[in-house]
């Protein structure tokens, strides 16, 4: 595997970062998770835009233009001769001293890894997922805004551990007000009486690129889409529910906190949107 580090490709064995990198010492940095399908990088522009928006929010100046970053991403996939893969882009504050002062870091580090994606088993998509709401609340937008895809994912990791401890794969996080925000690496949607609802971004969600794509697909099919605050009650009484993310794509949810959702099987609108999403991933994106 060839890994891009600061403008050079190196072998997996030699792909190492300094113990003084503030990405490691403090989680000081940002990242993206991107997928390529069928020789095309899906929604590359959108992911690069979000990476730079995350960096801007933490006052991290990425030493590449957006065009150079897009090229580096495509070059990394090419160097590994991949057509269907997962790409992790990481930009850290760089190497500094012990002590959190970011001014000690002279140059941000850029890492690009293109590899195989770990996907949920096909049976799970066919059956639908059982999820729970968890005690760990989503970060406040007045603290580290959840819109920032930062290297500090402990909030989500704790939620994931709590879900796993409850015997399920994924968590729904609520915000400090008790409204639904999102999953640990996915946005959440419900369907009620034929309309699609998802929490607004100010409820503490990431500006999910899959979320945006699904909303566009729904609108194109004449499905009403609304961003609105949702409570656990709304989730329990939904006709259908699903999670969206680059990794999970569209994952139907059939049980939440022990309540069966709708018929207890992936619903027709979830299935329709999944088919449309898969069709889109096959034909659109930046050629590798
Ligand atoms: N919320 C959070 C907190 C996320 O981290 C999403 C929603 C969905 O966003 P996208 O833009 O992917 O639709 C994410 C995405 C990984 C990994 O390897 C994480 C994500 C995506 C891909 C891989 O942990 N998070």
């Amino acid at each position: 595997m060839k890994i891009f580090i600061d403008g050079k490709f190196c072998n997996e064995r030699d792909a190492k970062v300094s113990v003084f990198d503030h990405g490691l010492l403090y989680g000081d940095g940002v990242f993206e998770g991107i997928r390529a399908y069928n020789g095309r990088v899906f929604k590359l522009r959108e992911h690069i835009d979000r990476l730079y928006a995350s960096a801007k929010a933490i006052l991290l100046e990425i030493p590449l233009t957006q065009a150079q970053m897009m090229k580096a991403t495509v070059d990394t996939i090419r160097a590994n001769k991949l057509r269907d893969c997962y790409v992790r882009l990481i930009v850290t504050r760089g190497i500094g001293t012990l002590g959190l002062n970011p001014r000690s870091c002279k140059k941000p580090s850029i890492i690009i890894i293109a590899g195989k994606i770990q996907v949920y088993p096909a049976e799970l998509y066919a059956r639908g997922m059982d999820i729970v709401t968890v005690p760990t609340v989503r970060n406040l937008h007045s603290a580290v805004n959840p819109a920032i895809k930062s290297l500090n994912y402990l909030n989500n990791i704790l939620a994931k551990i709590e879900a796993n401890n409850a015997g399920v794969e994924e968590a729904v996080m609520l915000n400090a007000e008790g409204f639904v925000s999102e999953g640990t690496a996915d946005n959440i949607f419900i369907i009620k009486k034929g309309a699609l609802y998802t929490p607004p971004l100010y409820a503490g969600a990431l500006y999910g690129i899959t979320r945006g794509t699904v909303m566009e697909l729904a609108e194109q099919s004449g499905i009403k889409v609304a961003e609105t605050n949702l409570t656990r009650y709304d989730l329990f009484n939904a006709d259908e529910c699903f999670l969206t993310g680059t990794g999970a794509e569209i994952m139907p949810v059939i049980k939440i906190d022990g309540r069966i959702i709708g018929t207890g099987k992936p619903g027709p609108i979830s299935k329709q949107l999944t088919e449309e999403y898969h069709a889109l991933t096959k034909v659109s994106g930046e050629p590798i």
Side-chain angles (χ1 to χ4, degrees):
M1 187 192 274
K2 298 266 182 254
I3 294 159
F4 177 103
I5 304 184
D6 297 329
K8 293 197 190 80
F9 285 107
C10 58
N11 291 320
E12 199 173 330
R13 201 163 36 91
D14 308 315
K16 300 211 168 79
V17 292
S18 164
V19 294
F20 296 102
D21 192 302
H22 280 211
L24 174 70
L25 288 175
Y26 299 108
D28 186 354
V30 292
F31 79 103
E32 272 302 319
I34 311 175
R35 274 175 90 162
Y37 297 89
N38 200 25
R40 289 168 182 274
V41 193
F42 191 60
K43 302 280 176 191
L44 179 59
R45 165 98 264 153
E46 287 81 350
H47 282 283
I48 299 293
D49 278 349
R50 188 171 64 188
L51 180 75
Y52 280 73
S54 293
K56 182 165 193 176
I58 68 160
L59 293 109
L60 175 65
E61 209 167 308
I62 301 177
L64 288 185
T65 63
Q66 293 207 17
Q68 286 169 330
M69 187 63 94
M70 285 173 71
K71 182 173 183 302
T73 305
V74 173
D75 286 350
T76 306
I77 301 172
R78 244 185 235 154
N80 288 284
K81 302 187 170 56
L82 294 167
R83 286 175 57 78
D84 291 86
C85 65
Y86 172 69
V87 186
R88 168 63 60 92
L89 282 182
I90 305 152
V91 185
T92 77
R93 189 78 62 186
I95 298 168
T97 53
L98 290 175
L100 61 83
N101 185 2
R103 276 179 297 187
S104 74
C105 306
K106 296 300 170 221
K107 195 166 109 331
S109 305
I110 301 175
I111 300 166
I112 310 177
I113 310 167
K116 289 265 156 300
I117 177 137
Q118 282 230 300
V119 288
Y120 287 121
E123 307 90 75
L124 196 53
Y125 288 91
R127 194 183 67 219
M129 210 182 227
D130 181 354
I131 63 176
V132 293
T133 55
V134 291
T136 294
V137 299
R138 195 72 181 102
N139 284 333
L140 296 173
H141 52 72
S142 50
V144 178
N145 194 310
I148 302 169
K149 207 162 160 62
S150 88
L151 291 182
N152 202 314
Y153 251 49
L154 257 187
N155 191 236
N156 308 44
I157 290 164
L158 291 178
K160 185 91 171 176
I161 291 170
E162 288 161 355
N164 291 160
N165 284 347
V168 301
E169 290 277 353
E170 185 52 298
V172 182
M173 305 181 79
L174 307 178
N175 62 24
E177 286 181 285
F179 291 112
V180 174
S181 63
E182 60 176 347
T184 63
D186 325 88
N187 294 105
I188 188 163
F189 285 84
I190 60 164
I191 290 147
K192 186 78 183 170
K193 295 193 170 72
L196 193 57
Y197 299 93
T198 192
L201 297 167
Y202 64 75
L206 187 80
Y207 291 35
I209 289 160
T210 319
R211 174 185 185 274
T213 306
V214 165
M215 287 164 84
E216 272 173 29
L217 288 172
E219 274 162 4
Q220 283 162 19
S221 302
I223 298 167
K224 190 190 136 212
V225 181
E227 294 178 71
T228 180
N229 267 329
L230 300 172
T231 61
R232 290 171 73 234
Y233 170 92
D234 297 318
L235 299 185
F236 301 154
N237 289 291
D239 298 328
E240 299 180 36
C241 177
F242 58 81
L243 302 171
T244 64
T246 297
E249 300 177 326
I250 300 174
M251 172 60 79
V253 172
I254 48 136
K255 209 191 244 186
I256 305 175
D257 294 339
R259 281 80 160 179
I260 290 170
I261 307 305
T263 62
K265 295 208 171 88
I269 297 180
S270 308
K271 282 187 187 161
Q272 180 198 324
L273 290 168
T274 302
E275 278 168 25
E276 288 172 6
Y277 187 78
H278 284 159
L280 189 66
T281 60
K282 290 200 177 70
V283 297
S284 85
E286 191 71 21
I288 295 162

